Amino acid sequence: MNKNVFAGILAFVGFFFFPVHSVSQGTSPFGVSMHIDGGYEYNQMPENLRLVHEAGIRWVRTDFVWSSVEGPQGVWHFDKFDRVVAEAEKQGLQILALLLYNVYWANPAYKYPEAWLAYVEKVVTRYKGRVRHWEIWNEPNLYPRFWDQPDDAAGYVRLLEMTYRKIKEIDPGAIVIHAGTAGIPMKYIEKSFAAGSGRFFDKFAVHPYRPLLNTWEATGRFCEDIDKLRTLMAEYKIEQKDIWFTEMGISSMAGFEIKDKEAFHEARKETGRDWKVAMVCDDEFPVDASFSGQTLRTLFPDGFRTDTLQVPDLRQIRPDAYDAVFFPPADNFPLHISQIITPYLTRYLRVGGKIYYGTKDGRIYYYGDAAEKEANQAVFIAQTLLLSLRFGIERYFCYEFESSEENIFDREDNFGLTHRGLGAKQAYRAYAAAGRLFPEGSAIDTSVAWKQKDCCVVSWQQPDGLRVWALWAPEGVRQVNVKIGKGLKQALNYLGETIPSVTETTGTLEITPAVTYLTGATTLDIH
């Protein structure tokens, strides 16, 4: 997956070259990526799959890794995968199976067609009629992480072609998906199309990761990227093939790095006042001969009020006593000291405290507000999901279901809709709310302009004809004048909670970056 795709120049002009028609979904568009082929996620079945189903998610994308299926060469292992397929079936979930990665006796796989196709044949034959959707590889544009050569679209197409032909030979009705690319790398994708990949996939996949859609520029770029991909597909006469987002999401990672004093200048700018900072500087546990409370104070801009604390003081400190807590540049506290610090960090973050941790190379690790990060994640998923539906993306697989949460500074460890242990984040509730409001058979109404005044607007009809409106303001809170048509049943926030103050007589709505849903209203006029 691409963790740092940046939203760029805003351009609305091309968005309507390929208008998305109002077409009912044949099956649910809601999916999720999981790693249920092994590890703790495998051991949590069927509870995790039950929670997937409860959220309205009907697709699970998971790995059928070659080295897990075969090894040593000629020895096959299907017990775990048999259980994965069976448990998904019990929950009424469809599997998008990934065929991928090298083995030590066939590396890289595309140069060993006989060995690779033996693996493909074994897997597809075994699950014929039960698994019907096969994604071939993952992010082959990422070298050296997932592919052995840089920018080798032609090599990937060789693998795709042989795999497509083998799968169709075994199961002609199976659906083959081009590997999801990291981001939407247009040059790589064009090389894939030029090498003939369009003849060897039924669906095209991308992983359009990016930062928050908290500006019109970022929001516009997201929609523009979809339009550019459709334009390219049309140039190669494959525009009739659907696009799937087989990974999409954003991390709720609460920690990140900022250089030197920038963190503190940003903190002051954010709050508009001086901060009271606690410095943990314990002479009993010196971390460096040159380190002292005085040297630590030199890191702070003028105006920051600082107190020096000893490690044992953390046992009694109130979480709201300080705006920030700054730890010395070391990570080698004795074990029993770490046991004091770790629960304190957890407690402080739970009430919204912000913690900084210095390093000798001049970097400052920032422990942000975890609740804020989780709210941002939920807002982002709802926004990108709705825009994806509006612009004709057939399937949206949120990455991923459960966070491993092994490292606060690792984005990859904090992408989940749930915490480690399956506790629901706001993102789970937001995804479930969208799933309830967009049941299978719903149809997007593309006659409704997606950009109106200060709002993004997406509208659809449920199978029973009930109209739903989704509104949000990318750039912050806006007071919007509205005329709500007859039939309004309820207003809901992005988590699916009722907003009782909104009625048909409401003339002004407060719209925020978090999605507001209106159900039942036949019309909605924003003016």
Side-chain angles (χ1 to χ4, degrees), residues 338-409:
S338 297
Q339 290 171 341
I340 294 174
I341 291 173
T342 300
Y344 172 76
L345 295 181
T346 303
R347 176 164 56 94
Y348 202 78
L349 287 173
R350 191 180 302 125
V351 298
K354 298 185 179 183
I355 298 169
Y356 297 85
Y357 182 90
T359 61
K360 293 179 183 178
D361 66 0
R363 288 197 174 275
I364 292 171
Y365 290 97
Y366 166 60
Y367 294 77
D369 184 337
E372 177 186 3
K373 297 293 183 180
E374 289 186 19
N376 288 341
Q377 179 193 36
V379 167
F380 176 87
I381 287 173
Q383 290 175 346
T384 56
L385 169 64
L386 292 167
L387 287 173
S388 299
L389 295 173
R390 171 61 177 78
F391 284 90
I393 302 304
E394 188 179 37
R395 300 282 180 272
Y396 179 108
F397 287 79
C398 189
Y399 187 90
E400 59 185 325
F401 190 68
E402 183 178 5
S403 300
S404 69
E405 295 180 344
E406 293 176 355
N407 184 347
I408 192 174
F409 295 112

Side-chain angles (χ1 to χ4, degrees), residues 70 145 221 412 493:
E70 184 183 9
R145 186 174 183 185
R221 183 57 179 268
E412 189 78 17
N493 67 15

Side-chain angles (χ1 to χ4, degrees), residues 489-508:
K489 290 185 176 295
Q490 58 182 342
L492 304 167
N493 67 15
Y494 71 113
L495 300 177
E497 300 166 334
T498 301
I499 307 173
S501 59
V502 178
T503 68
E504 287 185 12
T505 62
T506 298
T508 302

Side-chain angles (χ1 to χ4, degrees), residues 181-195:
T181 57
I184 309 182
M186 298 302 293
K187 290 182 179 179
Y188 180 92
I189 292 170
E190 182 162 15
K191 287 181 178 180
S192 172
F193 293 166

Side-chain angles (χ1 to χ4, degrees), residues 131-149:
V131 177
R132 302 298 301 277
H133 298 80
W134 303 94
E135 185 175 354
I136 315 307
W137 215 264
N138 178 63
E139 299 183 348
N141 60 314
L142 284 191
Y143 164 82
R145 186 174 183 185
F146 294 127
W147 199 256
D148 72 312
Q149 297 292 326

Side-chain angles (χ1 to χ4, degrees), residues 353-525:
K354 298 185 179 183
I355 298 169
Y356 297 85
Y357 182 90
T359 61
K360 293 179 183 178
D361 66 0
R363 288 197 174 275
I364 292 171
Y365 290 97
Y366 166 60
Y367 294 77
D369 184 337
E372 177 186 3
K373 297 293 183 180
E374 289 186 19
N376 288 341
Q377 179 193 36
V379 167
F380 176 87
I381 287 173
Q383 290 175 346
T384 56
L385 169 64
L386 292 167
L387 287 173
S388 299
L389 295 173
R390 171 61 177 78
F391 284 90
I393 302 304
E394 188 179 37
R395 300 282 180 272
Y396 179 108
F397 287 79
C398 189
Y399 187 90
E400 59 185 325
F401 190 68
E402 183 178 5
S403 300
S404 69
E405 295 180 344
E406 293 176 355
N407 184 347
I408 192 174
F409 295 112
D410 190 332
R411 288 181 175 84
E412 189 78 17
D413 288 356
N414 297 276
F415 267 87
L417 296 174
T418 72
H419 293 288
R420 177 71 174 262
L422 302 177
K425 293 184 186 178
Q426 288 191 41
Y428 176 89
R429 296 171 59 198
Y431 206 43
R436 287 191 297 271
L437 291 167
F438 197 97
E440 183 173 345
S442 297
I444 291 286
D445 183 354
T446 57
S447 69
V448 174
W450 72 273
K451 186 187 179 193
Q452 301 184 38
K453 303 296 183 180
D454 292 325
C455 297
C456 287
V457 181
V458 179
S459 184
W460 62 92
Q461 281 193 327
Q462 295 178 349
D464 61 2
L466 185 75
R467 171 74 68 165
V468 182
W469 304 84
L471 305 87
W472 69 95
E475 296 188 343
V477 178
R478 298 289 187 272
Q479 301 296 324
V480 178
N481 295 323
V482 297
K483 183 177 180 180
I484 301 173
K486 293 181 179 180
L488 178 70
K489 290 185 176 295
Q490 58 182 342
L492 304 167
N493 67 15
Y494 71 113
L495 300 177
E497 300 166 334
T498 301
I499 307 173
S501 59
V502 178
T503 68
E504 287 185 12
T505 62
T506 298
T508 302
L509 282 177
E510 182 176 271
I511 304 300
T512 73
V515 176
T516 297
Y517 298 101
L518 304 177
T519 69
T522 54
T523 59
L524 179 67
D525 179 28

Side-chain angles (χ1 to χ4, degrees), residues 23 115 152 161 236 244 251-252 278 282 345 398 441 448 515:
V23 178
D152 184 26
E161 177 182 357
Y236 284 87
W244 288 20
S251 179
S252 64
D282 197 323
L345 295 181
C398 189
V448 174
V515 176

